[in-house]
Amino acid sequence: MEIFRIENLMVKYGEKVALKNIDLIIQRGEIFALMGPSGAGKTTLLRILNLFEKPTDGCLVFEGKRLNGTHTEKLNARRKMSLLFQTPSVFNASVFENVAYGLKIRGADKDTIEEKVINALTIVGLEGNERQKARTLSGGEAQRMAFARAIVYDPDILLLDEPTSNLDPANVAKIEEIIMRIRSERGTTIVFATHNIRQVKRIADRVGILLNGELIEVNSKERIFAAPEDARTKAFVNGEMIY
Ligand SMILES: Nc1ncnc2c1ncn2[C@@H]1O[C@H](COP(=O)(O)OP(=O)(O)OP(=O)(O)O)[C@@H](O)[C@H]1O
Ligand SMILES: [Mg+2]
């Protein structure tokens, strides 16, 4: 069943075209990887899905409803999603406070907050670090804390912008495990941007290849790597693309 549908979308910043001719359907419960060179438009597309960015042209259909931009509609949709930024921000407070934030703004009570924060920290392997100042976490730990913050309110959709860049292999493996676990336990729909081809092979169901703001191919992981339809996809996944 489809959860997102993008129709003929274009995003322009002044004269600069960041995305164009985008048609894409994301299915509920799938793990969808967005790949493409730096500047191709991956982050912009995630921001469109998250309703942070308004399309210059075209539209986004979420759960069968065309989002025409009424404030309440957007807010309700956004509450079901969580976007983990490329460079996660860390508040100058404890790990617990950092993770609790999303629940507090949703008005959760104290007991629920306590329970869900501990649960999220356990999932990312940071149980016991609640009282630590978040700013003193290592890079890998900070990334896992940001992940806990993204999943703490059980979003239906998790949008991840390069969730494992700058991590060592052990932390990469942990994050990938968490992604798989969240999807199988909660049926969460996951869309992630990455430069890591092996990661896509390990965890994605389907892949979209972005090039210069255009989605040149969307296909199953198997097809993308074994029998791509577009010659540029082949060049990209084989690391032969010059950019
Ligand atoms: N707010 C903005 N104003 C102007 N240009 C922007 C803005 N946001 C993005 N762009 C441009 O749009 C293009 C796509 O950017 P985007 O961040 O989506 O790329 P990306 O695929 O995520 O790249 P990377 O892999 O480096 O993160 C880039 O050329 C970028 O400079
Ligand atoms: Mg980006």
Side-chain angles (χ1 to χ4, degrees):
M1 205 174 87
E2 79 175 50
I3 188 157
F4 286 110
R5 173 193 294 265
I6 291 177
E7 289 172 357
N8 197 22
L9 178 117
M10 165 146 88
V11 176
K12 267 171 121 182
Y13 297 111
E15 285 307 298
K16 162 97 202 165
V17 177
L19 290 174
K20 64 180 172 214
N21 306 325
I22 306 285
D23 286 293
L24 175 65
I25 290 174
I26 303 285
Q27 303 290 346
R28 195 177 281 279
E30 75 173 330
I31 301 184
F32 189 95
L34 277 173
M35 293 186 79
S38 186
K42 301 179 295 299
T43 298
T44 309
L45 190 51
L46 289 174
R47 289 168 57 87
I48 283 284
L49 294 175
N50 193 244
L51 314 172
F52 268 134
E53 206 72 59
K54 206 170 154 341
T56 312
D57 206 357
C59 76
L60 175 68
V61 180
F62 175 64
E63 293 184 324
K65 265 203 223 140
R66 202 167 287 256
L67 289 178
N68 287 322
T70 72
H71 186 64
T72 332
E73 220 173 58
K74 274 193 174 172
L75 200 65
N76 285 339
R78 200 184 275 162
R79 286 200 161 180
K80 298 183 181 176
M81 309 179 196
S82 187
L83 172 63
L84 182 61
F85 294 96
Q86 206 162 345
T87 26
S89 56
V90 172
F91 311 135
N92 188 17
S94 68
V95 169
F96 186 95
E97 290 300 325
N98 266 272
V99 177
Y101 179 74
L103 290 167
K104 282 196 175 154
I105 58 170
R106 283 169 173 77
D109 62 72
K110 201 164 170 288
D111 289 350
T112 308
I113 291 176
E114 179 83 21
E115 186 197 321
K116 285 189 182 282
V117 170
I118 299 300
N119 183 257
L121 286 174
T122 305
I123 289 175
V124 301
L126 284 177
E127 68 276 21
N129 294 71
E130 297 82 21
R131 304 280 151 238
Q132 190 175 345
K133 283 276 180 206
R135 291 252 163 95
T136 66
L137 292 171
S138 75
E141 289 166 346
Q143 196 107 349
R144 281 188 278 136
M145 184 195 76
F147 207 98
R149 195 160 60 192
I151 60 172
V152 74
Y153 49 86
D154 302 326
D156 292 344
I157 303 120
L158 201 47
L159 307 167
L160 308 170
D161 201 353
E162 301 190 28
T164 58
S165 53
N166 310 318
L167 293 184
D168 71 334
N171 274 297
V172 170
K174 267 185 208 152
I175 295 276
E176 289 176 1
E177 233 177 80
I178 299 164
I179 292 173
M180 303 291 278
R181 180 171 163 195
I182 291 283
R183 192 268 294 270
S184 67
E185 284 179 5
R186 304 180 183 176
T188 311
T189 307
I190 296 164
V191 184
F192 73 107
T194 187
H195 288 281
N196 186 334
I197 288 177
R198 278 175 300 169
Q199 174 162 75
V200 173
K201 288 186 174 164
R202 285 190 295 264
I203 67 172
D205 300 318
R206 288 198 306 144
V207 185
I209 308 284
L210 274 167
L211 195 61
N212 298 323
E214 284 193 273
L215 211 38
I216 58 165
E217 181 162 352
V218 175
N219 226 326
S220 69
K221 167 176 66 184
E222 291 72 21
R223 290 294 303 275
I224 286 280
F225 291 109
E229 281 162 21
D230 192 303
R232 293 168 296 173
T233 302
K234 195 170 171 200
F236 180 74
V237 300
N238 290 334
E240 291 157 7
M241 188 168 277
I242 312 291
Y243 49 83

